[in-house]
Amino acid sequence: MRNSRVFSFSLMYLLLALPLNAAPWVNTDDLYLRSSIQLLADAGHLKTPVNTLPLMWRPLLQDLTTLDSSILDEHELLAYTRLLTAARFAQQSSSSALTVSASTDPLGQSAGANQYQQKGLFAISSEVVANNWSAGVVKQFRKDPFDSNLYSDNTSNWDGSYGAYAVGNWALIAGVLPQWWGPAQQQSFSFDNRTRPAKSLQLSRLNANELLGSTFDWFGPVHINVQVGEYAGTAVLRHARYGAARANFKPIAALEWGVSVFRIRPYTNELLTVSELFDRYSFEDMTTLGVDLQWRLGAGSVYAEISSQRSVAIANGWLVGAQWHFGHQKLLLNAFAELQYIPEKYQYWQGLQPDQPLQQLQRSVSVGLKAYSPEGRAAYIKTALTQSNMTETASLLTLQDYLIDPLSLQTGIQLPIWQGLLSFDYHLQYGERYGGQGNTLVHAAGFTWEWRW
């Protein structure tokens, strides 16, 4: 009971002393923290929508101040304290970070949130929070980046940098921010952090808990984000312009639903330089509509999303999934299972991986488990069986190192060390090499160390 009062007083102090509404926010790069948020939302302790990241801290803190922590069970209390610790750090007037990573091959996005789009990375960042604005600068230096192309070697970038200014209940944001739209854990139809983030100018609602007015009360808390920007591309597709908007609602405690719309305009010059892409992908503008639902069951939730794209052809993709939370005061676990389908005519090139420019995921079945402790130790394991669409014009020389519909295992561990967090990630794939060269195993590994102060 004493700890509950301490947590409540700390949250109230943090909320009342908060000088800024514009930022910072919950980023996409900590899926263990995201698991804590989803746990409390599934249990009915958060009324704000949580399926659009970056996610603003203020509505989360408001929800936590009204929560009687004495009613929480052991694993809910762990998630509760995890959020409080993260909020305390995020709301500092200034913070900095140093990141070093290395990998044998591009690993892309994993269940543990670490991605390796280069063989070596050194990054330094700094963030400042003021009365109604905030800004962050991130400079990355890269060794052997896998998204180098004909236009740039991409050995450095400013990914993660931003500036934000608050006006009333709205924030104007300009930056290169990782985003994640929707309830999916493996891959989103809209934004996810499998690839480099887009450069964008955004208008985002700060506090979803403030109702829109009596006419729209039945919507419940509403989060709204509108943006225009330019995608950072893969090794062969450098950029595309886009406009996008998303709103997600929570009319009742058990239901969260969202709608999104994208209008994408590819840069045709980049497509023309690679014949395989010219044959596969459309030069036409693409409009994609999405609807996602998540029904929260207390100890877990089920969710679904449908994405309908209009371009040269109409193509509909979908996903369904479920997650479950369990554990105790020393260990929190999050298990999930997900099935996703993307038809061949669906123009999904903005999600291609740098090492797989000619493969597009068609169907994926994945199951995984994430675990973490209060001391910062964490681990994950995930297995997935995928089926991809392969362009018929691709040459054997281009694709000789690719596996056809591989079975993959991804695992990793995170440990506090040297005043920072050290992560190891390992990927194993088994499948048939393209061109009928027999079955084989493919390995990849990487590590990341991050120090924040």
Side-chain angles (χ1 to χ4, degrees):
M1 183 64 71
R2 180 179 181 274
N3 287 339
S4 299
R5 289 197 297 269
V6 170
F7 293 146
S8 299
F9 286 137
S10 298
L11 278 168
M12 185 64 71
Y13 173 79
L14 186 62
L15 186 62
L16 295 177
L18 186 64
L20 176 71
N21 283 331
W25 39 65
V26 180
N27 287 315
T28 68
D29 59 356
D30 188 344
L31 290 191
Y32 300 112
L33 178 59
R34 184 184 176 192
S35 294
S36 292
I37 294 172
Q38 288 286 339
L39 184 155
L40 293 175
D42 287 350
H45 300 311
L46 300 178
K47 68 178 183 179
T48 189
V50 297
N51 284 337
T52 301
L53 280 82
L55 176 65
M56 298 297 176
W57 272 113
R58 176 162 289 270
L60 285 176
L61 293 175
Q62 283 187 342
D63 289 346
L64 293 180
T65 56
T66 62
L67 174 62
D68 181 4
S69 58
S70 65
I71 68 173
L72 302 179
D73 60 29
E74 290 185 340
H75 69 290
E76 291 173 348
L77 187 59
L78 174 54
Y80 177 79
T81 55
R82 175 72 175 87
L83 258 66
L84 178 57
T85 301
R88 282 172 172 164
F89 183 87
Q91 303 296 343
Q92 296 179 115
S93 60
S94 64
S95 61
S96 300
L98 173 68
T99 304
V100 178
S101 75
S103 66
T104 60
D105 293 286
L107 303 185
Q109 169 65 22
S110 71
N114 294 312
Q115 52 182 324
Y116 300 85
Q117 302 289 351
Q118 58 282 311
K119 288 189 175 180
L121 172 71
F122 176 84
I124 187 74
S125 65
S126 183
E127 186 175 51
V128 177
V129 176
N131 288 331
N132 61 346
W133 63 272
S134 68
V137 177
V138 181
K139 183 61 177 178
Q140 297 187 358
F141 300 94
R142 312 168 76 203
K143 174 67 174 177
D144 296 332
F146 297 105
D147 59 348
S148 60
N149 51 53
L150 298 174
Y151 306 93
S152 172
D153 56 13
N154 285 322
T155 54
S156 66
N157 61 50
W158 300 92
D159 291 1
S161 302
Y162 77 94
Y165 187 82
V167 180
N169 196 30
W170 295 90
L172 181 65
I173 306 166
V176 194
L177 289 172
Q179 302 178 73
W180 194 294
W181 283 13
Q185 298 208 37
Q186 169 65 13
Q187 176 176 288
S188 172
F189 281 105
S190 304
F191 286 113
D192 59 32
N193 55 1
R194 290 175 56 85
T195 55
R196 289 177 53 196
K199 295 180 289 185
S200 62
L201 180 64
Q202 305 184 28
L203 184 65
S204 189
R205 199 159 187 258
L206 287 168
N207 192 346
N209 291 340
E210 292 188 10
L211 300 182
L212 292 173
S214 57
T215 304
F216 302 99
D217 282 354
W218 65 277
F219 278 127
V222 180
H223 179 72
I224 299 173
N225 179 279
V226 180
Q227 58 183 274
V228 293
E230 184 179 67
Y231 277 106
T234 66
V236 287
L237 279 173
R238 188 167 184 235
H239 293 110
R241 289 167 289 178
Y242 75 89
R246 176 171 171 82
N248 57 315
F249 313 87
K250 204 167 183 182
I252 59 176
L255 175 66
E256 179 174 347
W257 64 284
V259 293
S260 59
V261 57
F262 272 81
R263 179 72 172 176
I264 302 176
R265 176 167 295 176
Y267 287 161
T268 57
N269 290 339
E270 281 77 356
L271 284 167
L272 286 168
T273 61
V274 183
S275 60
E276 291 89 348
L277 295 168
F278 177 82
D279 293 333
R280 147 103 24 126
Y281 297 107
S282 172
F283 287 79
E284 303 297 327
D285 294 356
M286 294 166 281
T287 300
T288 304
L289 304 174
V291 177
D292 54 87
L293 300 169
Q294 186 165 15
W295 188 262
R296 305 189 183 278
L297 305 171
S301 60
V302 294
Y303 54 87
E305 181 176 359
I306 185 169
S307 181
S308 182
Q309 188 179 89
R310 268 64 175 163
S311 183
V312 175
I314 298 176
N316 299 318
W318 53 265
L319 68 85
V320 292
Q323 64 178 351
W324 194 261
H325 312 279
F326 52 100
H328 49 76
Q329 62 182 355
K330 295 296 184 180
L331 184 67
L332 181 61
L333 298 104
N334 172 214
F336 69 91
E338 200 163 279
L339 169 64
Q340 185 173 21
Y341 171 72
I342 302 175
E344 185 174 4
K345 293 181 179 180
Y346 193 103
Q347 302 289 298
Y348 199 69
W349 55 259
Q350 70 268 25
L352 295 176
Q353 294 294 283
D355 65 323
Q356 299 175 340
L358 304 176
Q359 287 181 302
Q360 173 174 297
L361 175 69
Q362 180 185 45
R363 185 177 290 106
S364 172
V365 180
S366 59
V367 294
L369 178 68
K370 291 173 284 185
Y372 63 91
S373 71
E375 296 81 14
R377 297 181 178 87
Y380 71 91
I381 185 170
K382 181 187 69 175
T383 184
L385 179 62
T386 60
Q387 180 182 356
S388 299
N389 287 314
M390 190 78 71
T391 176
E392 296 179 359
T393 61
S395 67
L396 177 60
L397 179 63
T398 303
L399 298 170
Q400 61 183 350
D401 293 329
Y402 288 1
L403 299 183
I404 300 175
D405 304 337
L407 174 66
S408 64
L409 175 69
Q410 302 177 6
T411 186
I413 189 170
Q414 175 182 280
L415 299 170
I417 189 171
W418 301 326
Q419 297 183 321
L421 287 176
L422 180 65
S423 301
F424 292 96
D425 299 273
Y426 176 74
H427 291 198
L428 175 66
Q429 288 187 314
Y430 176 77
E432 181 183 356
R433 287 191 183 276
Y434 186 82
Q437 302 179 54
N439 294 338
T440 188
L441 289 170
V442 176
H443 306 259
F447 81 88
T448 297
W449 178 73
E450 184 179 51
W451 174 37
R452 297 183 182 183
W453 69 92

